[in-house]
Amino acid sequence: MLFRSVLYTAYANTLIGQVCPGSPVIDTVIVNPIPDVVATPPIDTICSGATTAIQLRSFVNRVIFRWTVSAPAGITGASNGTGSQILQLLNNSTTAPLTVTYTVTPEFTFRNVPCYGSPITVTVTVMPKARLSGIKQFTICTDNLFTYTASSATAGVTYSWVRPVVAGISNPQGTGNSGVISETLFNITQAPILVRYIFTIVKRGCPNNDTVLLTVNPNAKALYKDRKSTRLN
């Protein structure tokens, strides 16, 4: 849809005594349309560190879309702008979901006459990068049970973890589909060995990794024998 022209023809008449028509005067008035705007999607949810992909369109041709943004503390990357797409990389540095609101106004201009349509709002919920809370570094002796229960300041998360194979630890790779670790590790060397438990924490489809570090000390007798052997040699 574009502008439409309305043609007016005016006549001057003398009404005293008789009708004397004058020359007609023709004038053209251009009527601009009132633009609209449709956003796809109008409501969206993304993970922290992802980019919005909001498409803006109108049933009126040659429309300019301008938006202003309202974002709470903890959100970075949101800014005012102009265009047919809102493509912004948003980060959420908090532990809770945060909502960013874009107010989009359509504008149609012809012959320096701007016409504005009704603004719409587009909301984007930015999920946080969930992390583990509390102490994440531990030390145990070989052949002792290690237990750990994950927790997060972000509510409603799910956990899984993997423990890669480490040279000097006789256990095969370990995995779990919960936030609980309960296993006995065996250090077959004479030196402390660092073991990593890599957690995947998911909040509403948004995963993030965090790590628990475990130092497994060797058997004290083996360490004593090794040191005694070193002194004798």
Side-chain angles (χ1 to χ4, degrees):
M1 181 187 296
L2 289 174
F3 54 84
R4 291 290 184 268
S5 298
V6 179
L7 185 66
Y8 291 92
T9 303
Y11 297 89
N13 294 323
T14 301
L15 301 178
I16 299 175
Q18 60 180 340
V19 176
C20 299
S23 299
V25 176
I26 300 174
D27 195 10
T28 300
V29 177
I30 296 176
V31 182
N32 286 344
I34 298 298
D36 66 330
V37 56
V38 178
T40 306
I43 301 173
D44 200 8
T45 299
I46 64 172
C47 303
S48 179
T51 300
T52 61
I54 301 165
Q55 308 295 321
L56 304 174
R57 60 183 177 86
S58 175
F59 291 104
V60 178
N61 296 331
R62 297 191 293 190
V63 171
I64 297 173
F65 304 105
R66 306 182 189 276
W67 67 81
T68 58
V69 64
S70 175
I75 289 291
T76 57
S79 61
N80 301 338
T82 302
S84 60
Q85 295 177 306
I86 303 177
L87 303 174
Q88 297 189 341
L89 193 155
L90 303 180
N91 285 290
N92 179 352
S93 62
T94 75
T95 60
L98 295 177
T99 298
V100 177
T101 301
Y102 295 93
T103 301
V104 184
T105 301
E107 175 187 332
F108 177 87
T109 301
F110 183 74
R111 291 187 178 179
N112 298 319
V113 178
C115 296
Y116 301 95
S118 299
I120 65 170
T121 58
V122 180
T123 58
V124 179
T125 300
V126 185
M127 305 305 297
K129 289 186 176 180
R131 293 177 172 83
L132 297 174
S133 300
I135 300 172
K136 293 184 285 185
Q137 294 188 23
F138 304 90
T139 300
I140 64 168
C141 295
T142 184
D143 200 15
N144 282 1
L145 179 66
F146 173 61
T147 59
Y148 172 82
T149 301
S151 63
S152 175
T154 301
V157 299
T158 60
Y159 304 95
S160 61
W161 57 267
V162 60
R163 174 182 50 75
V165 171
V166 179
I169 298 293
S170 63
N171 303 68
Q173 176 179 284
T175 60
N177 290 317
S178 72
V180 177
I181 300 171
S182 181
E183 62 176 0
T184 301
L185 300 182
F186 300 93
N187 180 348
I188 57 175
T189 74
Q190 285 79 47
I193 294 179
L194 184 64
V195 175
R196 288 178 170 83
Y197 291 89
I198 302 170
F199 274 84
T200 299
I201 310 146
V202 182
K203 171 68 174 180
R204 286 179 61 180
C206 294
N208 189 46
N209 292 332
D210 207 346
T211 303
V212 171
L213 300 177
L214 175 65
T215 299
V216 183
N217 285 330
N219 182 285
K221 289 183 179 180
L223 183 60
Y224 172 76
K225 288 180 179 179
D226 181 68
R227 288 179 178 175
K228 183 178 179 180
S229 175
T230 301
R231 287 197 300 270
L232 291 175
N233 292 333

